[in-house]
Amino acid sequence: MAECNHNCEGCSANCGERSAPPKFWLNGNVKNVIGIVSGKGGVGKSLVTGLLASAAAKQGFSTAVLDADITGPSVPRMFGLHERVLSDGHFIQPAVSRNGTKVISMNLCLADEGDPVVWRGPVLAGVLEQFCGEVDWGNVDYMFVDMPPGTGDVPLTVFQSLPLKGIIIVTTPQELVGMIVHKAVRMAELMNIPVLGIVSNMAYFECPDCGKKHYIFGENHSGYDITAELPIVPGLAGLCDTGRIEDFDAGKYLDGVMKVLQAI
């Protein structure tokens, strides 16, 4: 039905596809689960996920990243993690970054991290359930879930099945991307998930000589208030490529988001 919000638990209609969405059990004491969402690919969602986890860890919080982008995982490389995760006979032990962030990702489960994952939606949902209940997460203050772009199968599964405290939407300044942000916001509203903030990536370039900000792609066109702006920073891509995202000081750029997270 056109008015369907895909939340069967609170629906009174008796449609032919009615079924209660599964709830995934998180193995450990995970206090706050935050989804990192983008309406489209290529806006820096995984980058923001990694920077938020790093910024929270530097403030003394225990952090984790669940890479729900099963077919396009990029989180492990940013943190310099390449070894396959192993089980202790009971649970899978997540990889741990230099600064203590726990990470699970499909790329940490493959024999060769260059192998493609060519699976359909139900199988991807099964992997997410394993990442939740079969990984020894331990005590975590903030778990950041790096979702695949769009509003398809996997984001819907995360929205329905994980105990999300809210989502952070990542965008870039172009007007076209702003239109896609609206779709992500509307999906969150349909699923009754709070939008905690919007991060504009590649928002501007700051001249190293005069300090003036140049909004290369234009000002904010999303139609929503921006919680934080990440500038174009020479060298940040290189840090991610070499597994040293934690060396970047993102706190001054993401301070607005961190204040929101600490208030939930």
Side-chain angles (χ1 to χ4, degrees):
M1 299 188 302
E3 65 273 19
C4 179
N5 66 2
H6 306 287
N7 187 355
C8 297
E9 286 186 330
C11 180
S12 60
N14 190 25
C15 70
E17 297 183 3
R18 181 182 176 87
S19 60
K23 295 296 183 183
F24 293 167
W25 171 62
L26 273 169
N27 176 39
N29 179 27
V30 181
K31 298 175 183 176
N32 300 287
V33 182
I34 311 296
I36 312 300
V37 177
S38 65
K40 67 185 300 298
V43 297
K45 170 185 50 61
S46 297
L47 172 68
V48 171
T49 301
L51 291 177
L52 282 172
S54 299
K58 288 175 182 177
Q59 292 186 14
F61 297 102
S62 55
T63 60
V65 175
L66 191 161
D67 189 356
D69 195 350
I70 307 297
T71 60
S74 57
V75 170
R77 181 167 181 171
M78 291 191 299
F79 284 93
L81 302 171
H82 300 281
E83 297 297 322
R84 292 181 68 186
V85 292
L86 301 173
S87 171
D88 63 1
H90 301 282
F91 297 104
I92 299 169
Q93 298 302 307
V96 181
S97 73
R98 289 179 297 145
N99 286 358
T101 295
K102 300 173 183 177
V103 177
I104 193 68
S105 171
M106 194 65 223
N107 254 23
L108 298 173
C109 303
L110 299 173
D112 183 339
E113 62 182 7
D115 289 340
V117 177
V118 189
W119 294 339
R120 295 190 182 275
V123 180
L124 300 179
V127 172
L128 283 179
E129 186 173 10
Q130 287 183 295
F131 282 176
C132 292
E134 296 184 21
V135 173
D136 182 12
W137 290 112
N139 293 313
V140 174
D141 293 317
Y142 292 99
M143 171 183 282
F144 299 95
V145 182
D146 183 19
M147 295 200 206
T151 55
D153 234 10
V154 173
L156 179 60
T157 298
V158 172
F159 277 18
Q160 290 181 324
S161 304
L162 267 69
L164 291 175
K165 288 291 183 70
I167 63 169
I168 303 293
I169 297 176
V170 182
T171 182
T172 51
Q174 300 97 316
E175 190 169 353
L176 174 63
V177 179
M179 177 190 69
I180 305 300
V181 168
H182 180 68
K183 292 180 181 290
V185 171
R186 287 290 294 125
M187 181 180 184
E189 290 174 347
L190 286 170
M191 304 300 297
N192 296 315
I193 304 294
V195 177
L196 302 176
I198 298 178
V199 176
S200 179
N201 187 32
M202 297 181 281
Y204 61 88
F205 173 76
E206 186 171 350
C207 176
D209 297 322
C210 68
K212 182 179 179 180
K213 294 181 180 179
H214 298 273
Y215 288 83
I216 298 173
F217 299 116
E219 301 281 349
N220 170 34
H221 291 291
S222 70
Y224 299 93
D225 292 334
I226 298 298
T227 314
E229 290 184 329
L230 274 174
I232 299 170
V233 180
L236 177 55
L239 289 176
C240 294
D241 288 342
T242 56
R244 295 184 294 125
I245 190 173
E246 292 169 305
D247 291 349
F248 184 73
D249 183 13
K252 58 183 177 181
Y253 304 116
L254 297 174
D255 182 62
V257 178
M258 293 307 303
K259 289 179 179 178
V260 171
L261 294 181
Q262 292 176 41
I264 60 176

